[in-house]
């Protein structure tokens, strides 16, 4: 993790070719800004196909936001047979219980803050009308529509599969698309959350706290904290290595930087 953080910090600090003037809002991305960012981006092996691990969940979040317009009041149910598919996978989990009912907004926090593979599966099951594979096809279609040319998803969580891959350029395209969309503020609010309290549910009497996996935005973590970091998603598996998609905002220069690293 230390090596990974150093790599990301180096890219963020040296990314003069990745920057574009930011707007007054830290999460507001205009068309002009995104065009400038695309024109000035620089990267190493941008089109190489690599496993993205939990960076996969970025497009899962996008699909939920695009398909559920009232995330605060729409509920999703965690079917037991969906959750058991993660048994023995050593997955990162948000603690969703069988038959638990959560709002779509709560499910997004479970997905993006502690990187819950259980949340990814429940979202896929609900949006895929009970068919995880149907949702994965939605992921692939949406990525192609956004302009991704080196991406193929095989699952909604990012666990190892030889047919599950993307590229840093494609991840950047998806992020740029989201941040230029009407969902940008909601997406970034969730991605920049360090700690989220999930209230009682139909199967749980007490609150529980979800903590971010992105230590670079946690001010109390002296080892990895970088004050300009804002989101977005971490990921790691033995095959994918360490992955990170993040932005950094410099309020003094009014610039935003985008960094995507994979297989670190």
């Amino acid at each position: 993790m230390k090596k990974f953080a150093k790599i990301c910090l180096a890219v963020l600090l040296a990314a003069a070719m990745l920057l574009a003037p930011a707007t007054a809002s830290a999460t507001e991305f205009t068309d002009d800004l995104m065009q400038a960012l695309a024109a000035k981006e620089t990267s190493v092996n941008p089109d190489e196909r690599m496993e993205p691990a939990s960076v996969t969940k970025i497009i899962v979040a996008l699909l939920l936001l695009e398909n559920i317009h009232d995330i605060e009041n729409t509920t999703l149910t965690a079917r037991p047979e969906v959750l058991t598919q993660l048994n023995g996978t050593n997955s990162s989990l948000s603690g969703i219980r069988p038959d638990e009912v959560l709002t779509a907004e709560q499910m997004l926090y479970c997905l993006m803050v502690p990187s819950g593979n259980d949340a990814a599966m429940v979202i896929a099951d609900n949006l895929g009308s009970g068919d995880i594979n149907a949702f994965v096809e939605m992921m692939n279609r949406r990525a192609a529509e956004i302009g991704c040319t080196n991406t193929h998803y095989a699952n909604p969580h990012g666990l190892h599969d030889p047919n599950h891959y993307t590229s840093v350029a494609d991840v950047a395209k998806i992020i740029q698309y989201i941040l230029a969309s009407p969902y940008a503020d909601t997406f970034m609010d969730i991605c920049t959350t360090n700690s989220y309290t999930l209230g009682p549910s139909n199967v749980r009497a007490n609150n529980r706290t979800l903590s971010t996996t992105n230590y670079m935005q946690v001010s109390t973590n002296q080892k990895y904290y970088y004050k300009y970091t804002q989101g977005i998603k971490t990921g790691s598996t033995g095959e994918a290595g360490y992955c990170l998609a993040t932005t950094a905002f410099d309020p003094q220069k009014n610039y935003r930087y985008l960094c995507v690293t994979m297989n670190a």
Side-chain angles (χ1 to χ4, degrees):
M1 181 66 184
K2 187 173 183 180
K3 174 185 175 184
F4 176 49
K6 286 183 177 179
I7 291 171
C8 293
L9 282 170
V11 174
L12 287 168
L13 292 169
M17 296 300 290
L18 274 172
L19 57 84
T23 59
S25 169
T27 59
E28 181 183 347
F29 275 57
T30 65
D31 290 340
D32 289 343
L33 186 152
M34 300 315 297
Q35 290 172 6
L37 180 58
K40 295 182 179 181
E41 67 181 20
T42 183
S43 56
V44 178
N45 302 324
D47 298 317
E48 182 179 351
R49 293 178 175 181
M50 292 177 280
E51 292 193 41
S54 285
V55 171
T56 299
K57 292 165 185 163
I58 293 172
I59 198 164
V60 175
L62 171 63
L63 285 170
L64 187 148
L65 289 167
E66 288 183 328
N67 285 277
I68 299 179
H69 301 298
D70 184 3
I71 61 173
E72 294 181 359
N73 296 301
T74 302
T75 58
L76 306 180
T77 301
R79 294 195 298 142
E81 58 267 37
V82 171
L83 296 178
T84 56
Q85 293 181 45
L86 295 172
N87 290 351
T89 62
N90 195 30
S91 283
S92 58
L93 300 172
S94 63
I96 297 171
R97 292 181 177 177
D99 294 317
E100 187 161 21
V101 178
L102 298 175
T103 67
E105 181 181 51
Q106 290 173 321
M107 203 66 72
L108 274 175
Y109 278 100
C110 289
L111 178 78
M112 300 300 287
V113 177
S115 195
N117 288 357
D118 45 1
M121 290 291 285
V122 173
I123 292 169
D125 180 55
N126 279 263
L127 294 188
S129 300
D131 187 339
I132 302 292
N133 290 329
F135 179 78
V136 173
E137 285 306 308
M138 289 173 60
M139 295 166 64
N140 285 314
R141 284 196 303 271
R142 199 69 188 96
E145 291 166 356
I146 291 170
C148 299
T149 56
N150 289 291
T151 294
H152 183 270
Y153 300 111
N155 60 62
H157 40 62
L159 290 175
H160 171 64
D161 188 298
N163 293 314
H164 190 89
Y165 55 81
T166 187
S167 67
V168 295
D170 282 356
V171 172
K173 288 177 185 177
I174 295 169
I175 293 170
Q176 290 174 16
Y177 179 87
I178 295 172
L179 296 181
S181 78
Y183 316 109
D185 285 342
T186 299
F187 179 79
M188 287 301 290
D189 283 347
I190 292 170
C191 291
T192 56
T193 296
N194 291 334
S195 180
Y196 178 75
T197 300
L198 201 59
S201 70
N202 62 311
V203 298
R204 190 187 304 268
N206 300 319
N207 292 341
R208 68 183 186 273
T209 300
L210 308 177
S211 299
T212 185
T213 58
N214 188 356
Y215 301 146
M216 292 177 68
Q217 66 183 24
V218 180
S219 61
T220 55
N221 193 307
Q222 298 180 356
K223 184 180 290 187
Y224 302 119
Y225 177 62
Y226 179 62
K227 65 179 180 179
Y228 299 116
T229 300
Q230 294 183 347
I232 291 177
K233 192 71 198 74
T234 64
S236 66
T237 65
E239 295 81 7
Y242 291 114
C243 305
L244 175 70
T246 189
T247 70
F249 177 69
D250 185 340
Q252 293 183 335
K253 294 182 178 179
N254 201 31
Y255 273 75
R256 180 179 292 277
Y257 303 77
L258 171 64
C259 171
V260 179
T261 61
M262 296 169 65
N263 195 28

